[in-house]
Amino acid sequence: MADSQLFEETFSITALNAQKYDRVSRISGNSTSNENFFTLDVNTEVYPCAVGDRIHLVLASTLALDGTKDDGKGWRDMGRGEASIADMYDYVCHGKIYRFEEGEGDMIKVFISFGGLLLYLEGPYKKLTPLRIDYVYLLLKKS
């Protein structure tokens, strides 16, 4: 993992709930190692998902390929043709880690909001240690 990548894992989608909103589904799944569990609200009009899909999920502190901080420069301020980590992924969001909770044993729970679309991530403390209350980018691609 590069310095800008705070968390990286491949998950299998085990559940999809599209009953509450027209264009948003809540997907859930387990990591391939079964160490981590996630629930994520996804705009399925932009990024369609199905039970059984495998997705690669990355949380990063910046989109810069060299790992340099954004320094107030968001993804919208990037120059046309300027390469970024986002170019390698199909679905990218910017959000804020707003809460941590202790789980059972060495497990912790992380809550992140991407403009109202929520990510709940549960896993071992050691794997989720790089995360802190701060802004992050969510990057997804099917694997």
Side-chain angles (χ1 to χ4, degrees):
M1 262 191 313
D3 290 337
S4 65
Q5 293 183 356
L6 306 171
F7 177 83
E8 182 176 16
E9 190 69 70
T10 300
F11 290 90
S12 261
I13 298 175
T14 57
L16 184 135
N17 182 346
Q19 295 174 343
K20 194 163 187 163
Y21 301 105
D22 290 337
R23 295 180 209 116
V24 175
S25 294
R26 180 161 284 174
I27 59 174
S28 300
N30 293 313
S31 64
T32 51
S33 64
N34 280 326
E35 284 186 319
N36 301 291
F37 171 80
F38 86 107
T39 299
L40 174 66
D41 297 336
V42 174
N43 181 335
T44 49
E45 189 174 70
V46 175
Y47 189 71
C49 298
V51 172
D53 285 353
R54 289 173 48 115
I55 58 171
H56 187 74
L57 183 147
V58 173
L59 295 174
S61 59
T62 180
L63 293 178
L65 289 171
D66 61 1
T68 57
K69 288 279 185 194
D70 288 342
D71 293 329
K73 178 181 170 183
W75 62 270
R76 293 180 193 188
D77 299 324
M78 295 186 84
R80 200 162 261 211
E82 190 176 335
S84 76
I85 296 172
D87 298 334
M88 297 179 265
Y89 291 86
D90 304 321
Y91 188 79
V92 180
C93 295
H94 184 254
K96 182 168 177 77
I97 300 173
Y98 66 92
R99 188 169 83 200
F100 288 93
E101 287 182 5
E102 289 187 21
E104 295 181 23
D106 70 338
M107 304 293 269
I108 63 170
K109 302 171 185 178
V110 180
F111 297 85
I112 308 172
S113 177
F114 301 97
L117 299 178
L118 303 177
L119 169 62
Y120 163 79
L121 189 57
E122 185 175 350
Y125 177 79
K126 286 184 178 184
K127 180 89 172 169
L128 300 176
T129 297
L131 302 175
R132 58 193 177 287
I133 294 185
D134 201 0
Y135 291 96
V136 293
Y137 290 95
L138 166 76
L139 302 110
L140 293 178
K141 69 179 172 182
K142 293 191 177 161
S143 56

